[in-house]
Amino acid sequence: MPEEAPLLANEEDHPQEVVYTDGDRRIVTMDSARYVDARNRDTDVVVPSSYLGVLPARLMAPHRPKGVIGHDGCIGKDGAGISGLWFLEALGIPAATADGMSAELGNGLDLFETGVISRLNIYAERCGVVEGMAVAEAAKLLLNNDPGEVDEGTKIRREVKATTDAGRQIVVTDSIVFALPEDSRNVLVTAGHTGRSGADFLLEVSPHGFICSDGGRSKNDAGIAGLAITEAHGLAGACCDAWSAPVGDAFKAYDEGIISACNQPARDRGVEVGMSVKDAAAALLGD
């Protein structure tokens, strides 16, 4: 067992429970983010059952835990229950939240034992955490894995979802700016907006087909203005409804997104408004 930290004056009022140890590394549960304190160290994964908003993240950040898993507060208005994920990401701290209906607020042990991961930041993803995973499993991944530096190379997520006999592919990557020269023959599912600046990047790549976000459409339908621009150049494209999948996350767009708009070349290949992004990408790919 690691050496015990010095007794703190508030320890009885702010109890912590060590639920797992591996050498000097620990998983520590507590009922509130306020209970993360000088007893904790950079080898601890802390599991407080506070909502993981910006305020709880600010309370924990000075203690630099190895990882954090909190409660998502059922997300709430403006995503306030999970907004601390990106506060911690900016500081290089892996973090995730448990689904609000899988764990009790204010009960850290329950969160650890019964919680199911609902959201996570890129550092937690790099440690192997995925949505739907048990909190206990996710905490051990945060404990035992180093996410490394998230530089330009590791930011770029890219996955091939399908390949035709002719070698044409459906490629999922978070932004059109991450496209490669060979993507001129592929269907790209990305998650930036489809405004006029997005169209400029699309024309540079000139993919066989594309799906981008509609960015919530915005004033004067500016978020889909690129559809007409690319249509004039013969590019087949469509937009994912930003309310069906988050802008900036092409992987959720591919798995969960719904088509909100498309241009005529895409319609000619069978794409329709209301179709899933996954089916639309397959239609754009063709035989």
Side-chain angles (χ1 to χ4, degrees):
M1 292 287 292
E3 183 179 348
E4 292 293 329
L7 185 68
L8 299 184
N10 65 353
E11 186 168 340
E12 290 186 4
D13 294 333
H14 296 173
Q16 299 184 358
E17 182 169 351
V18 178
V19 293
Y20 181 83
T21 61
D22 184 354
D24 66 344
R25 294 171 295 169
R26 310 184 301 175
I27 299 172
V28 187
T29 68
M30 58 281 292
D31 294 342
S32 171
R34 176 65 181 84
Y35 299 176
V36 177
D37 56 31
R39 288 170 288 177
N40 302 112
R41 45 194 188 249
D42 61 7
T43 53
D44 285 354
V45 170
V46 296
V47 184
S49 197
S50 294
Y51 73 98
L52 196 51
V54 172
L55 177 58
R58 287 172 57 198
L59 293 174
M60 293 183 283
H63 304 289
R64 304 298 303 186
K66 182 172 174 57
V68 175
I69 302 179
H71 195 285
D72 72 8
C74 296
I75 310 297
K77 183 179 179 182
D78 298 333
I82 60 171
S83 56
L85 288 173
W86 298 283
F87 182 96
L88 294 172
E89 179 174 300
L91 299 175
I93 299 174
T97 56
D99 186 294
M101 301 309 293
S102 71
E104 296 179 359
L105 270 166
N107 186 339
L109 188 59
D110 183 70
L111 190 149
F112 177 75
E113 292 179 341
T114 71
V116 175
I117 297 297
S118 62
R119 299 289 193 276
L120 57 149
N121 66 22
I122 193 170
Y123 285 98
E125 178 184 299
R126 292 292 165 189
C127 289
V129 178
V130 296
E131 293 178 12
M133 176 179 283
V135 166
E137 180 182 359
K140 290 178 182 178
L141 286 172
L142 296 184
L143 193 71
N144 294 318
N145 291 285
D146 181 358
E149 292 296 324
V150 180
D151 56 21
E152 285 302 317
T154 56
K155 280 180 185 175
I156 300 173
R157 301 190 297 170
R158 180 183 174 93
E159 186 174 331
V160 175
K161 295 293 187 179
T163 305
T164 67
D165 291 342
R168 184 167 293 152
Q169 299 176 324
I170 295 173
V171 176
V172 178
T173 190
D174 289 325
S175 173
I176 186 63
V177 302
F178 297 154
L180 301 176
E182 57 263 34
D183 287 328
S184 61
R185 61 183 285 107
N186 296 329
V187 171
L188 289 172
V189 178
T190 71
H193 67 76
T194 321
R196 64 182 186 179
S197 59
D200 289 342
F201 292 116
L202 287 162
L203 292 173
E204 287 179 18
V205 179
S206 191
H208 180 66
F210 69 86
I211 300 172
C212 303
S213 177
D214 67 11
R217 301 188 80 124
S218 187
K219 179 182 176 182
N220 297 329
D221 270 344
I224 64 170
L227 289 178
I229 297 169
T230 53
E231 178 177 322
H233 292 265
L235 298 187
C239 295
C240 172
D241 188 336
W243 289 98
S244 70
V247 64
D249 190 334
F251 290 81
K252 283 195 173 179
Y254 185 77
D255 289 335
E256 304 172 13
I258 301 297
I259 297 298
S260 61
C262 57
N263 63 21
Q264 189 59 50
R267 286 192 289 272
D268 291 343
R269 294 191 202 168
V271 177
E272 299 177 353
V273 172
M275 177 181 281
S276 73
V277 166
K278 190 175 294 187
D279 287 345
L284 289 171
L285 187 65
D287 295 328

